[in-house]
Amino acid sequence: MKVGAIERVTQNRVVKLFQEELGYTYLGDWQERENNSNIEEELLNNYLTRKGYSNVQISRAIFELKNTANNFNDSLYTTNKNVYQQLRYGIKVKADASSHFETVNLINWDKFSDNDFAIAEEVTIKGNKTKRPDIVIYINGIAVGIIELKRSTVTINDGIRQNITNQQDGFIQSFFATVQYLFAGNDTEGLRYGTINTPEKYYLKWKEDVEDNSRNLLDKYLLKMCNKARFIELLYDFVLFDGGVKKLPRVHQYFGIKEAQKYINRYEGGIIWHTQGSGKSIVMVWLAKWILENKPKARVVILTDRDELDKQIEDVFTDANETIYRTRSGKDLMRQLGQANPRLLCSLVHKFGKKDVGNFNKFIKELESEPPNTVGELFVFVDECHRTQSGKLHRTMKAMMPNAVFIGFTGTPLLKKDKQTSLEIFGKYIHTYKFNEGVEDEVILDLIYEARDIDQKLSSQKRIDEWFEAKTKGLNDFQKMEIKKKWGTMQKVLSSKSRMSKVVTDIIFDFSTKSRLNSEKGNAILVASSIYEACRYYELFLKTPLKNKCAIVTSYSPQTSDVTTEDTGASTETEKEFMYNLYKDLLGTKSTEQYEDWAKNKFKKEPANMKLLVVVSKLLTGFDAPTCTYLYIDKSMQDHGLFQAITRVNRLDGDDKEFGYIVDYKDLFNKLVNEEGTGALQVYTNELDYDNFEAKDIDIMLQDRLEKGKERLDNALEEIALLCEPVELPKDRMAYIRYFCGNTEIKEELKARETQRTALYKKTVALIRAYANIADEMEEAGYTVSETIKIKKELDHYLKLREDIRIASGEVLDLKTYEADMRHLIDTYIQAEEPETISPFSDMSLLDIINSEGIVEAIANLPKGLRNSNEAVAETIENNVRKKIIKEHLIDPAFFEEMSKLLAELIKARKEDAITYEEYLQRIAELARQVSEGKSEETPDVLVTVAQRALYNNLGQDEDLAMQIDKVVKAEKRDDWRGNLPKEREIKQALFKILNDVDKVEEIFLIIREQREY
C-alpha cells in the first residue's frame, strides 16, 4: 500500500475484506439513499419471514423494537440497554388477544451462520446534523457496529472522536440505540474498539497471534473480531451494562473466560491470575452469567475473606442487573445451599468455620462422612484466593461441598510456600495476565518508586532549609515567597521531634508542589502501622491545609469497654483512650461504617474535597479509586499484602495521571535491587513460584522515580523536536505558522493541519509535566548545569510556540483535562528569561479584545515574536476573523457570506499593497467588530437579538417580515422541539402560513434551528 494513502483506498480494501474474507453481504454505498435507519425493516422482515414467523408476529416485533429504539426519555445508555435486552432475549408478542405470548428472536445466537451479516458504507443519517459513518455492520438488518476509518497519516483518535461526537444529542444519537461495538482504525495504528459513551482514553486494543505480521494491524484485527462466529459470541456473552456504564471485554478477559469455560465443561477447578486493576470482578460476572445460562443445574457461590469485598461483589453483580443473594450467617448459607434457589450467592469464607471445635480433624472426618445436603452443581469462586487457600477454612469448605468445582481468583502470583496447597484445592492456572502485560497493554499504569528517609531529610533546621532550597530550585523569587508563606504555617509541626510530624510535613509539601496532588483530580492514601498511629496521623493532618480534606479508615468502632480500665490517674491519655476519644469526636451520631462509607465515596467521586485517607490495612485490597495517585507507606509490609497495597494507585484515570507513585518511608525494597542494575525494583521476587513462568514474567517492577523521570523528559523533548523537524528553515515564527496552520486564507488547509496542531498542544503539555516532575532534582537525575539551562530554554520556546499557533489558528484550546493542571505547572516551574504575560485577556478571543480594547491593544497583547512581524499579525487577525465566520456561518448564512467576501477583498488589497498597513489595520478592525457583533452599520436598530438579525439578513432584509417570523417562532416553539419531528412540523406549518413557499420554509427553518434563543 502507498504510504499516506487516502481514506478511500483503505475503505475500499476493508469493504473487500468484509465481502471476500468474512463473507458479509455488501448492501452498497448509501450516501444518497433516503431514510437510512439502524433498523432496516425490509432486511429484518426478510430474515424473520425466513425463520417462519407470521406477518402479524413480524410486524408487532418490529413495532416493539422500533418503539424501544426511539424512546429517548431517559438517556442513550437506557435506550441502548433496553434494545440490547430485546436483541439478546427476543421480543414477546401475541398474534391476537386470545393467543399466548410467543418470543420472536431477532438474532439466532445458537447458530451464527443462520444470520444475515451485511455492511453498507457512507451511510447518511439525518439527525439534528447529518452524519455519514464510513461503514455500518448489520445483522438481520439491525445496525450493531460502526467503523470509522482514517488515512495512515491521521491519528486513529480522530476516528474515535467522530464516533463520540456522533453519539451526542446534537448529532445522530438516535442511530446508536441499536449499536453494540464501535470501531476506529487506520493502516498504521490498527484497530481500537469501544461502545456507546466510551471515553476516548478507554477505547481498547485487541491482541492475538502477535507473532503473525502477514497483514497490517487493521485488517488482522477486523478479521479476528468481525469473524461471524466470534462477533456473535462477543455480542451475546461479552456485553455488560454495569451501573450506568456499558462495558466490553478487554482481550485478556475474553481469553481468560474462554479458557475457564473449558475447565467448567470438564468440571475441573483452577486459578485465574489477573493482575490488580485489570478488571477481575467483571470476569467473575461474565463467567457466572455463562455458567448459569449454559448449565441448567448450576449454582454459583462467590466467597471472599473480607466483609468489604463481600459487599463489593454484591454491588458489582447488582449493578450488572444480576440478582445475587448475600448470606447473613453460616447457618443462612447452608440453608440456601440446601435448596434449589437462589442460583447465585455470595458469602464470607469465614462462615464455613465453626467456633470452639476441640478436635478439628475429628470435626472434618464427621463432615466428610456426612456432608450437609447441597442442591445442584456447585461452582465456587474464591476471590483473593491466595489469602484463603490453606488452613482449616478450606478443609471445611471441601468437606462441606465435596463435589463442588473451585475456581480461585487472584491479582498476585502465588508464593512458593502456598503452591502445593493451592494445587490441592484449586488445581492449575487456568489463565494468567501479569502486571507487566497490563502495563504494556495500557490497562493499568506503571508504578514509580521513591524511598524517603525522613530522619535524614528533616533532622535539623539547617537540613530543612537546604531541602527547601533544593525543592524550590525551579522557582523564581516571587514563587518562592508564596511557597514560604505556606511553609511558615508548618513551623510548629516542624519544630516537633516526632518522626510522624515530619512525615506529615513531607506529605503536605507534596500536596503543595506535585501537580496531580495540587490539582482537583488526584488524591492519596497513607498506610500507618497501627490504628493508634493512624489516629495520631489524622490528628496531625487536622493542623494542616488538609484539615477538612482528609479522613481515617480503620474499621475501629469505639466501645465503652475499651477505656473502662484505662484510667491511670495521670493527666495524659493512654493509647486506647486517645483512639476512643478521637473516634467519638469524629463520628458524632454516625456509626463507623457510615462515616467510612461517606469518606470512601467522597475520595472516589470528589477528589478535590477528599485529598487523603489514612488507613492501616483496610482499603489495601479490593478498593478501586482511579483518582488515587500516591501511596505513602509507613508500615512494614511484605509479599501479597505489599503488592496489593502498591497497586491501589495503578488504575487509569485522566490524561494527567501517567503513573502511580509509591513513597516508601520504611525502606521496604532495600534488598530487592534488580541484578541487571537498571534501577528498577522487584516486589518479593525471591518468594514466587517460578515453576510455570520465567522470572522476568513474574517480576513486579517498580521504576525508580528519578531514572524514570529523566527517561520521560528525554523522550518528551525528542518527540516534540521530531514533530517540529519538518518546519522549513530558518524556523522562525512565520515558518512554524505555515507548517502548523498552512495557508491561513484557505480553510481546508487550516483543517488539514489540525492533527499537527493537536499533537503540538499535547506534546507541550507532556513536556512540561515531565520537566515539572524532576525540576527541583535535575542534577540528581543526571543532567549537568548547562543541560538544565538548555532544557529550560527549550521549554520556554515550546510554550511560546504553542501560544503563537493557538492564536494564529484562532483556536480556543479545547484541552480541559490539561488546562488547569498546565497552568499550575507553568506558574510553578516555567519562568521565561524575560518574564512575559502571554495574555491578560486569556479568557477572551482575539476578536473580543479587538472589539472591546481596540486593534492597538489586541496587537500589543500578542506574543512579542508574533507582533514583531506585520505579516504574522495580519495573518493571525485574518485567521481569527475567518474562524469566526466559518463557525457562525449556519447561524446567519447571508450575513457571514457577505463578511467572507469583504475579508477576501481586504486580504487581496493587503497582498497587492493597494492600501497602507495602517489603513489595513483600521479596516480589519472594523470588519472584526462587525463579525464579532454579528451586524453591520446598516442593520436596523430595532433588530436587537441575533435571531432577529439573522432572519432579516436571510429574508431579503425585510424588517417587518423578520419581526413577524420571530414572533411566530417564539409563540409556536415547545420545550425540547429540536429533533422532535411533530414539534418541528408545528413550527414549519406556522412558517408556511406566512411564507407560502415550501423551499423557503425549509431554508429559514434551518436558520431558526441554529438560534440559541429559540
Side-chain angles (χ1 to χ4, degrees):
M1 162 152 302
K2 182 181 176 184
V3 174
I6 60 173
E7 287 170 32
R8 184 69 256 173
V9 174
T10 301
Q11 189 164 317
N12 288 343
R13 193 189 73 251
V14 168
V15 167
K16 187 177 178 183
L17 177 145
F18 268 90
Q19 289 177 268
E20 297 182 0
E21 297 188 63
L22 289 170
Y24 284 57
T25 301
Y26 178 62
L27 299 173
D29 184 321
W30 284 1
Q31 183 167 336
E32 303 299 331
R33 182 175 180 261
E34 291 294 322
N35 302 316
N36 293 325
S37 172
N38 53 0
I39 301 168
E40 292 290 336
E41 287 192 48
E42 183 181 348
L43 297 175
L44 181 54
N45 194 313
N46 291 343
Y47 168 76
L48 295 175
T49 300
R50 178 163 64 80
K51 295 300 294 176
Y53 295 107
S54 69
N55 289 337
V56 174
Q57 288 175 319
I58 291 171
S59 63
R60 292 190 177 178
I62 292 177
F63 173 80
E64 289 294 332
L65 177 63
K66 294 187 76 170
N67 193 44
T68 303
N70 290 323
N71 183 352
F72 276 81
N73 288 337
D74 190 345
S75 64
L76 173 59
Y77 174 84
T78 302
T79 302
N80 190 277
K81 181 180 179 181
N82 293 337
V83 169
Y84 180 75
Q85 297 296 314
Q86 293 180 324
L87 296 182
R88 197 176 192 278
Y89 300 110
I91 298 175
K92 293 186 183 302
V93 299
K94 276 186 175 185
D96 54 60
S98 61
S99 302
H100 295 295
F101 277 105
E102 291 190 49
T103 300
V104 175
N105 292 303
L106 305 173
I107 296 174
N108 187 337
W109 299 110
D110 297 323
K111 188 178 179 183
F112 74 88
S113 58
D114 189 38
N115 297 290
D116 298 333
F117 291 79
I119 59 165
E121 58 178 331
E122 302 299 333
V123 181
T124 298
I125 308 297
K126 292 180 180 178
N128 286 340
K129 287 188 173 66
T130 298
K131 285 291 182 179
R132 190 175 298 116
D134 291 336
I135 295 175
V136 177
I137 301 172
Y138 292 89
I139 296 180
N140 306 332
I142 302 167
V144 293
I146 289 176
I147 306 174
E148 290 292 349
L149 299 169
K150 292 294 160 196
R151 70 168 71 190
S152 58
T153 55
V154 174
T155 174
I156 206 170
N157 289 23
D158 277 13
I160 293 172
R161 283 191 285 270
Q162 270 183 257
N163 275 327
I164 292 170
T165 299
N166 289 349
Q167 293 171 58
Q168 294 172 7
D169 187 30
F171 292 86
I172 57 169
Q173 184 184 76
S174 59
F175 190 77
F176 289 81
T178 64
V179 173
Q180 308 302 317
Y181 273 71
L182 297 169
F183 300 96
N186 66 19
D187 287 336
T188 48
E189 295 174 275
L191 188 70
R192 302 265 297 279
Y193 64 99
T195 187
I196 57 142
N197 298 337
T198 302
E200 182 182 334
K201 63 188 175 186
Y202 290 125
Y203 266 66
L204 304 167
K205 293 179 184 176
W206 201 259
K207 188 177 179 182
E208 187 178 356
D209 295 337
V210 290
E211 67 284 347
D212 177 13
N213 63 352
S214 59
R215 308 286 292 258
N216 73 44
L217 291 175
L218 175 60
D219 292 6
K220 175 181 176 179
Y221 287 124
L222 281 173
L223 288 168
K224 296 287 187 188
M225 294 192 73
C226 297
N227 168 281
K228 290 179 181 179
R230 168 78 62 82
F231 197 42
I232 283 286
E233 181 186 38
L234 287 172
L235 292 172
Y236 189 74
D237 286 330
F238 294 94
V239 172
L240 190 66
F241 293 86
D242 182 14
V245 179
K246 187 176 181 181
K247 294 179 179 177
L248 304 180
R250 292 167 174 156
V251 70
H252 71 274
Q253 293 172 322
Y254 171 81
F255 284 110
I257 288 169
K258 292 295 289 178
E259 286 302 310
Q261 288 171 0
K262 297 175 187 175
Y263 278 70
I264 297 297
N265 284 331
R266 297 196 301 263
Y267 292 90
E268 182 181 337
I271 296 172
I272 295 176
W273 163 25
H274 284 182
T275 195
Q276 298 289 340
S278 63
K280 192 157 43 73
S281 297
I282 300 302
V283 172
M284 284 187 185
V285 175
W286 271 318
L287 187 56
K289 280 168 64 79
W290 184 86
I291 291 172
L292 294 173
E293 287 185 340
N294 288 275
K295 305 281 183 188
K297 297 179 182 178
R299 303 180 70 192
V300 176
V301 182
I302 301 175
L303 301 175
T304 63
D305 71 335
R306 297 191 179 185
D307 187 65
E308 179 143 332
L309 289 176
D310 189 41
K311 187 177 178 184
Q312 184 188 27
I313 290 293
E314 180 190 26
D315 290 344
V316 168
F317 275 86
T318 302
D319 284 345
N321 271 3
E322 294 296 323
T323 303
I324 186 167
Y325 182 86
R326 188 180 177 206
T327 63
R328 298 182 297 277
S329 64
K331 193 174 180 181
D332 182 32
L333 173 63
M334 296 317 299
R335 183 169 58 251
Q336 300 302 329
L337 289 175
Q339 56 193 36
N341 286 302
R343 294 185 70 200
L344 180 61
L345 306 90
C346 64
S347 176
L348 287 172
V349 71
H350 305 95
K351 291 174 183 173
F352 280 92
K354 188 172 181 181
K355 293 181 181 178
D356 305 321
V357 176
N359 187 329
F360 182 76
N361 288 328
K362 183 182 176 184
F363 167 66
I364 291 295
K365 284 180 180 176
E366 288 174 1
L367 277 177
E368 288 172 342
S369 63
E370 290 185 44
N373 181 46
T374 58
V375 177
E377 298 173 349
L378 295 186
F379 294 89
V380 181
F381 294 180
V382 183
D383 193 28
E384 305 296 355
C385 65
H386 60 270
R387 286 205 302 268
T388 55
Q389 63 197 355
S390 58
K392 296 180 179 181
L393 289 173
H394 261 91
R395 288 187 63 189
T396 308
M397 265 198 303
K398 295 287 279 186
M400 292 176 108
M401 299 182 290
N403 298 318
V405 175
F406 286 84
I407 306 289
F409 289 82
T410 183
T412 60
L414 296 174
L415 299 176
K416 288 177 183 175
K417 62 185 173 66
D418 297 327
K419 182 187 172 188
Q420 190 56 41
T421 313
S422 67
L423 288 174
E424 291 170 2
I425 293 165
F426 298 107
K428 300 177 293 188
Y429 283 113
I430 294 172
H431 191 259
T432 65
Y433 187 65
K434 299 173 283 294
F435 180 84
N436 57 318
E437 293 176 290
V439 172
E440 182 183 332
D441 293 344
E442 298 178 354
V443 167
I444 53 176
L445 296 173
D446 211 346
L447 298 173
I448 302 294
Y449 171 78
E450 178 183 7
R452 292 187 188 171
D453 188 333
I454 285 297
D455 288 328
Q456 215 175 56
K457 222 172 208 179
L458 294 174
S459 58
S460 69
Q461 188 64 46
K462 180 173 179 293
R463 280 192 177 274
I464 290 167
D465 293 339
E466 288 174 358
W467 184 55
F468 180 82
E469 286 304 316
K471 284 283 182 184
T472 56
K473 195 182 295 179
L475 280 60
N476 59 33
D477 290 341
F478 172 77
Q479 292 160 341
K480 284 185 182 181
M481 285 305 297
E482 289 298 303
I483 294 290
K484 278 184 177 176
K485 287 178 187 176
K486 291 183 182 179
W487 192 257
T489 64
M490 301 180 203
Q491 290 308 305
K492 287 183 181 177
V493 178
L494 277 171
S495 64
S496 167
K497 298 200 187 299
S498 162
R499 177 182 173 282
M500 290 174 69
S501 297
K502 294 167 186 174
V503 169
V504 169
T505 303
D506 188 55
I507 292 172
I508 290 296
F509 195 81
D510 277 357
F511 273 92
S512 298
T513 57
K514 302 298 183 189
S515 61
R516 174 76 183 178
L517 294 177
N518 194 273
S519 76
E520 295 184 346
K521 291 175 282 187
N523 45 24
I525 290 174
L526 167 62
V527 187
S529 292
S530 64
I531 296 177
Y532 171 71
E533 285 202 7
C535 291
R536 282 291 180 202
Y537 268 128
Y538 177 73
E539 183 190 44
L540 288 169
F541 278 112
L542 293 181
K543 300 170 185 174
T544 73
L546 293 186
K547 177 180 178 181
N548 297 314
K549 296 182 178 182
C550 65
I552 179 171
V553 179
T554 68
S555 295
Y556 172 70
S557 184
Q559 305 294 329
T560 308
S561 58
D562 294 344
V563 293
T564 51
T565 60
E566 287 292 301
D567 191 355
T568 61
S571 58
T572 57
E573 293 176 306
T574 64
E575 289 189 6
K576 284 188 177 179
E577 284 177 322
F578 172 71
M579 290 159 49
Y580 177 85
N581 291 332
L582 184 139
Y583 260 86
K584 289 298 284 185
D585 291 342
L586 180 67
L587 297 178
T589 58
K590 292 180 181 176
S591 68
T592 298
E593 186 177 10
Q594 287 173 329
Y595 165 76
E596 292 186 349
D597 284 347
W598 164 82
K600 289 182 292 185
N601 190 56
K602 210 170 185 68
F603 187 80
K604 284 184 176 183
K605 296 182 178 177
E606 299 178 41
N609 299 319
M610 184 58 72
K611 302 299 288 182
L612 180 73
L613 293 181
V614 183
V615 308
V616 179
S617 57
K618 200 170 183 185
L619 304 194
L620 298 183
T621 60
F623 180 64
D624 295 342
T627 58
C628 188
T629 309
Y630 279 74
L631 181 78
Y632 297 95
I633 305 176
D634 194 30
K635 175 183 181 180
S636 294
M637 306 172 76
Q638 61 184 357
D639 298 341
H640 293 301
L642 176 57
F643 176 59
Q644 287 196 304
I646 64 179
T647 52
R648 292 313 96 204
V649 295
N650 74 345
R651 301 325 192 248
L652 300 174
D653 199 22
D655 288 329
D656 61 329
K657 184 180 178 184
E658 297 167 294
F659 300 98
Y661 290 90
I662 313 299
V663 178
D664 173 16
Y665 293 120
K666 289 288 191 182
D667 203 14
L668 299 177
F669 303 92
N670 59 338
K671 295 177 182 175
L672 300 173
V673 178
N674 192 323
E675 292 175 6
E676 286 81 8
T678 60
L681 302 171
Q682 304 158 330
V683 180
Y684 65 92
T685 305
N686 295 332
E687 297 301 317
L688 293 175
D689 162 29
Y690 281 109
D691 288 3
N692 299 308
F693 306 100
E694 295 290 325
K696 62 182 174 58
D697 291 333
I698 300 183
D699 290 352
I700 311 303
M701 308 303 284
L702 295 180
Q703 308 297 328
D704 176 79
R705 186 177 67 83
L706 287 179
E707 183 175 321
K708 190 69 176 179
K710 184 176 188 301
E711 177 189 329
R712 181 181 169 200
L713 179 53
D714 289 342
N715 288 342
L717 285 164
E718 184 178 348
E719 285 182 18
I720 201 166
L722 282 172
L723 178 68
C724 296
E725 190 175 3
V727 177
E728 294 180 357
L729 295 173
K731 291 187 183 278
D732 57 5
R733 270 183 167 80
M734 283 309 302
Y736 278 109
I737 290 172
R738 291 272 191 271
Y739 178 70
F740 284 105
C741 303
N743 183 338
T744 54
E745 291 180 59
I746 304 172
K747 65 180 181 182
E748 289 78 12
E749 282 204 23
L750 191 66
K751 177 68 178 173
R753 307 294 174 102
E754 194 174 305
T755 303
Q756 286 103 303
R757 291 196 300 281
T758 302
L760 175 68
Y761 302 152
K762 290 193 173 185
K763 288 185 187 302
T764 305
V765 174
L767 176 58
I768 291 174
R769 283 214 181 96
Y771 173 72
N773 197 45
I774 56 172
D776 48 11
E777 298 163 291
M778 293 289 280
E779 288 177 47
E780 293 89 333
Y783 293 104
T784 65
V785 174
S786 60
E787 285 174 332
T788 301
I789 293 170
K790 181 173 178 287
I791 289 171
K792 196 84 174 290
K793 287 181 178 177
E794 287 186 62
L795 278 166
D796 185 44
H797 164 71
Y798 288 120
L799 181 61
K800 289 175 179 173
L801 173 62
R802 169 185 178 269
E803 289 302 308
D804 287 350
I805 299 304
R806 182 181 70 83
I807 294 169
S809 62
E811 289 176 331
V812 177
L813 210 55
D814 186 20
L815 294 172
K816 292 182 174 61
T817 57
Y818 290 106
E819 283 302 297
D821 182 42
M822 175 93 169
R823 177 52 53 197
H824 164 72
L825 295 173
I826 292 169
D827 291 345
T828 305
Y829 291 105
I830 312 301
Q831 178 192 358
E833 292 187 358
E834 298 175 32
E836 177 181 319
T837 303
I838 297 289
S839 171
F841 308 102
S842 57
D843 59 341
M844 295 171 65
S845 72
L846 187 61
L847 294 198
D848 290 336
I849 299 170
I850 292 173
N851 205 18
S852 62
E853 305 296 325
I855 190 77
V856 175
E857 184 63 44
I859 293 171
N861 186 53
L862 293 173
K864 186 172 68 176
L866 201 59
R867 65 177 179 259
N868 286 344
S869 164
N870 289 349
E871 186 180 4
V873 167
E875 288 199 4
T876 297
I877 297 172
E878 289 160 5
N879 204 43
N880 278 263
V881 173
R882 184 181 296 104
K883 192 87 174 178
K884 177 81 170 178
I885 290 172
I886 293 169
K887 184 180 178 182
E888 306 290 341
H889 184 265
L890 292 175
I891 294 174
D892 191 343
F895 173 76
F896 285 109
E897 188 66 37
E898 181 62 25
M899 293 296 105
S900 183
K901 290 176 184 175
L902 292 174
L903 177 62
E905 291 170 6
L906 188 53
I907 291 171
K908 184 180 179 184
R910 174 179 68 80
K911 293 209 165 190
E912 293 175 354
D913 292 327
I915 54 175
T916 65
Y917 185 62
E918 287 72 22
E919 185 182 349
Y920 163 78
L921 290 179
Q922 288 176 355
R923 289 174 60 181
I924 194 72
E926 174 57 25
L927 182 62
R929 184 189 64 75
Q930 291 183 30
V931 168
S932 187
E933 292 180 351
K935 64 179 182 178
S936 65
E937 294 293 341
E938 291 77 31
T939 304
D941 292 337
V942 71
L943 305 171
V944 294
T945 71
V946 173
Q948 289 169 354
R949 292 195 290 266
L951 292 170
Y952 169 78
N953 290 326
N954 291 274
L955 288 167
Q957 298 191 335
D958 186 328
E959 183 182 320
D960 293 335
L961 182 58
M963 295 301 286
Q964 187 182 356
I965 295 286
D966 176 64
K967 186 176 180 181
V968 164
V969 173
K970 287 174 179 174
E972 293 292 331
K973 73 180 180 68
R974 293 162 65 185
D975 289 342
D976 297 323
W977 61 271
R978 287 178 178 81
N980 186 308
L981 292 178
K983 293 179 183 179
E984 287 186 352
R985 285 195 196 103
E986 289 176 359
I987 297 173
K988 288 181 182 179
Q989 286 166 1
L991 294 177
F992 185 76
K993 289 177 182 177
I994 300 170
L995 298 172
N996 294 311
D997 184 330
V998 173
D999 292 338
K1000 195 64 179 176
V1001 166
E1002 291 296 335
E1003 177 192 334
I1004 295 301
F1005 180 77
L1006 290 175
I1007 294 169
I1008 288 169
R1009 198 165 63 176
E1010 294 294 326
Q1011 307 307 314
R1012 295 186 185 93
E1013 64 199 75
Y1014 295 149

